[in-house]
Amino acid sequence: MPIDYSKWDNFEDSDDEKPAPKKTIVKSDETVAVPKPEAPSKAHGSVWNSNSWHWEEQKFDEWGKKRLQELVGTRDFTSEIVYQEMPIAFGWTLTLSEVDGEAWTHIRKQKKIVGYNFTMSFTWTGTIDSGGRKESVGGTFTYELVVDDDDPSISFTCTSS
């Protein structure tokens, strides 16, 4: 019986390695796209929580208050509008005076749920300059930030001196 070696006709018998990938040179003014890390597919709880199946809650109240204070803190703003062909300049400072509330995470059946409920009180002071007239203004406002609320509650006061 003859042996058919035709299946070996297109076989390359080479020990050479594959060519090295091309190197790219990035100039200092170019940006390089960094691949985005993938989010974990499952939430992980404590060691005692087998497979993160049981209810587990972690409080992040102090962290949330500190983080909001870092993000908002004190900010300065300037803007200008034109009313009846007269420019009016605004300059004001916004200060986060009080943060109250809570932040938490729940883990149940390998799902992580994040929640928060914060009330932030702000004070603001500023000046309005129109023509040669300067007016000092100030006031307060309160902003309620709730995870499940689509319409946040805001109360605003304004005073003039």
Side-chain angles (χ1 to χ4, degrees), residues 102 104 113-118 144-150:
E102 56 187 3
W104 63 88
I113 301 166
V114 178
Y116 50 86
N117 181 11
F118 285 106
E144 291 184 21
L145 185 63
V146 181
V147 70
D148 296 329
D149 195 3
D150 292 335

Side-chain angles (χ1 to χ4, degrees), residues 42-91:
K42 296 178 182 176
H44 298 286
S46 299
V47 175
W48 61 265
N49 194 350
S50 173
N51 296 324
S52 299
W53 192 256
H54 303 285
W55 182 273
E56 181 177 345
E57 178 178 90
Q58 293 179 344
K59 299 297 257 175
F60 290 98
D61 299 346
E62 292 305 314
W63 176 85
K65 291 175 186 178
K66 287 178 186 175
R67 185 66 178 148
L68 285 171
Q69 191 67 256
E70 288 173 11
L71 291 174
V72 179
T74 300
R75 301 286 175 152
D76 294 320
F77 300 94
T78 58
S79 62
E80 184 176 291
I81 63 168
V82 177
Y83 178 71
Q84 295 181 351
E85 298 180 6
M86 175 189 266
I88 301 172
F90 293 100

